[in-house]
Amino acid sequence: MGTEWPGDERRKAKTDVLTVSNASDKPEASLQILNNPEPVEPTAPEPTRAAPLAAGTPLVTGTLSSAITGSDALETPLPAEEGWQRTIRTWTGGLISPKPGPQELARRTTLASIRRVYPRPVTVTVAQPAGGSGKTSISVALASTIGNTSDHAVLAMDNNETMGTLGVRTRSNGSKLTIIDLLDALEELKNEHTRSGDVQYFTRPQGDNRFAVLASDEDPDRMQMLTRETLNELLEVVQRFWNVIVLDTGNNTRAENWLAGIERSDQLVFPVEMNDKSVVSVLRTIEQLQAMSQLSGNDHYAALCRHAVLVISPGSHRRSVAPERRKELRTMLEQALGEEATFLPVPYEPALDTNGLIDWQLATDESVRAFEKVAATVSEGMHHAAVRAESTKRNKKEN
């Protein structure tokens, strides 16, 4: 038979198909189905499944888009925002756009360091047993600098077993609640349903300075409740909502809360003026921490000293020390701390040298730039400490 059927055979085949399709409606359906069985439908092939990707395999190679987003395009700096470069760019409407100068590029690097992301919440302790040494001023300037130049949630906390001054030197915004009020509510706030606002209620936001304050109580007797255990519990709660904690400390380096703060710290900052009283106080603190590491076998305390940041302030203009003596005092500190410690001078700042409120918005540009460098160094130290701690924790779990 050829490819074309004769008319009778084609009609017969069509009739057989109709008979089978209507078999269920007729009594002789079974006989028709036996005589003319339904054709078997061909089975569809199963779709081919791609092999699973190995871990770390990139989904996008970038070969198609590299012409537009090549390394040169990605590394092109943003237009200048400072100096004569910005002036020319503004005057010419962008027709002439000089590259940022070295000072602006250096500042961008500084700000990028402050904005780095930490592997966990971090804590910096500002310590100096000598009274009137500027601990609170440095704490406020540091907290405000980090808050203003990054997206970090920053909390400045008064870790003073007696009545501290952080609450007095910052804005209350109508709140009289203190660290002891938070401590009283701590058991309720420990549960997993606690919200950010539940804890923020006990703090004092500082507006444009972009950090919050957890103030000490005005009753020194109530502040005695701040022990090693209670400070650790407080930090566990507040670090769920603030990822940078600045501890403004008291003058008693043997107090339980002071020691607990040091144990939880990732970075140590010493405010120091180059005079005998201030330097001797710092040296005694260094000796204590180094002795604690030797006695306990825990290198954490000595490591804080090795990587400490010393903020060298000129203090009030009423005080003066001979240049030769200042040099001698600095040499003593360098020998006690070692080469890894960082000494950063800051200028005299009238906004800090006051017994009243500290508003960092009033600080001079010179001080703002100086504390950006302080904050960048502190941020780098906290980041390295947190990475080391997390790595040690993982190794212990694996072993």
Side-chain angles (χ1 to χ4, degrees):
M1 184 186 307
T3 56
E4 295 294 334
W5 290 358
D8 290 342
E9 293 180 3
R10 188 166 59 249
R11 285 190 293 273
K12 181 177 182 302
K14 182 177 180 181
T15 302
D16 291 343
V17 173
L18 291 174
T19 302
V20 172
S21 63
N22 296 328
S24 59
D25 298 331
K26 299 179 179 180
E28 61 275 16
S30 298
L31 180 59
Q32 291 289 347
I33 291 174
L34 288 174
N35 292 336
N36 300 284
E38 294 185 9
V40 178
E41 293 291 336
T43 304
E46 293 187 3
T48 303
R49 296 185 179 181
L53 291 175
T57 302
L59 296 178
V60 179
T61 61
T63 55
L64 298 178
S65 58
S66 60
I68 298 177
T69 60
S71 59
D72 291 341
L74 295 177
E75 294 176 2
T76 301
L78 296 173
E81 293 294 337
E82 298 179 5
W84 62 265
Q85 293 91 341
R86 178 186 180 182
T87 302
I88 291 179
R89 182 174 64 84
T90 302
W91 283 355
T92 63
L95 295 176
I96 302 177
S97 184
K99 293 182 179 180
Q103 290 184 345
E104 183 174 359
L105 290 176
R107 185 178 181 227
R108 290 181 182 183
T109 300
T110 297
L111 296 179
S113 184
I114 300 173
R115 294 164 182 158
R116 70 176 67 232
V117 178
Y118 308 107
R120 58 163 173 75
V122 291
T123 301
V124 51
T125 289
V126 181
Q128 166 59 285
S133 56
K135 291 190 297 292
T136 298
S137 299
I138 298 298
S139 297
V140 171
L142 182 58
S144 186
T145 300
I146 298 175
N148 271 304
T149 57
S150 73
D151 291 328
H152 292 306
V154 184
L155 177 69
M157 183 172 167
D158 209 340
N159 185 27
N160 195 328
E161 74 283 358
T162 58
M163 186 179 69
T165 58
L166 186 60
V168 178
R169 304 291 301 281
T170 54
R171 299 187 183 280
S172 67
N173 288 310
S175 175
K176 295 183 179 180
L177 298 177
T178 69
I179 194 170
I180 301 303
D181 295 304
L182 175 57
L183 186 59
D184 290 341
L186 201 59
E187 287 303 318
E188 182 180 350
L189 296 174
K190 286 181 181 178
N191 73 74
E192 60 182 6
H193 302 295
T194 297
R195 299 158 300 184
S196 174
D198 297 330
V199 183
Q200 287 181 349
Y201 173 69
F202 296 92
T203 67
R204 304 174 184 183
Q206 297 302 300
D208 290 340
N209 289 310
R210 295 191 60 196
F211 72 99
V213 167
L214 185 55
S216 63
D217 201 272
E218 296 181 0
D219 184 350
D221 292 334
R222 293 190 74 199
M223 285 301 295
Q224 296 300 321
M225 296 171 61
L226 200 59
T227 64
R228 181 191 299 260
E229 180 182 0
T230 55
L231 180 68
N232 282 320
E233 291 177 342
L234 283 167
L235 286 175
E236 287 295 329
V237 171
V238 298
Q239 285 185 328
R240 290 162 59 183
F241 307 103
W242 287 274
N243 57 324
V244 177
I245 308 296
V246 180
L247 293 179
D248 180 17
T249 60
N251 302 334
N252 184 3
T253 62
R254 302 299 178 93
E256 287 190 27
N257 60 300
W258 193 94
L259 294 171
I262 287 292
E263 290 172 0
R264 297 289 294 267
S265 289
D266 300 292
Q267 180 65 51
L268 183 59
V269 173
F270 287 119
V272 60
E273 298 177 21
M274 285 304 168
N275 59 52
D276 287 28
K277 174 186 174 182
S278 180
V279 172
V280 166
S281 179
V282 171
L283 290 173
R284 287 177 176 173
T285 305
I286 295 169
E287 291 170 345
Q288 175 185 330
L289 294 174
Q290 291 173 341
M292 288 169 60
S293 279
Q294 292 175 355
L295 294 173
S296 66
N298 184 352
D299 186 59
H300 172 70
Y301 311 108
L304 285 175
C305 293
R306 288 195 302 269
H307 301 99
V309 174
L310 282 82
V311 180
I312 304 175
S313 169
S316 172
H317 284 169
R318 294 189 298 269
R319 309 182 188 120
S320 61
V321 178
E324 296 79 7
R325 183 55 178 166
R326 292 173 63 87
K327 186 175 180 179
E328 290 175 359
L329 293 172
R330 173 160 179 155
T331 299
M332 293 178 188
L333 289 170
E334 290 174 346
Q335 292 174 346
L337 291 169
E339 297 179 353
E340 295 182 78
T342 305
F343 291 71
L344 294 174
V346 294
Y348 171 76
E349 176 50 58
L352 297 179
D353 190 19
T354 172
N355 292 324
L357 293 175
I358 300 174
D359 187 347
W360 194 240
Q361 299 296 314
L362 303 177
T364 62
D365 288 343
E366 184 183 7
S367 291
V368 169
R369 299 293 186 270
F371 273 95
E372 285 175 352
K373 294 179 180 179
V374 172
T377 306
V378 168
S379 177
E380 183 177 0
M382 291 191 295
H383 181 266
H384 289 328
V387 169
R388 288 194 300 268
E390 291 300 298
S391 177
T392 301
K393 186 186 300 183
R394 285 194 300 270
N395 291 337
K396 288 182 178 179
K397 288 183 179 179
E398 292 174 357
N399 298 330

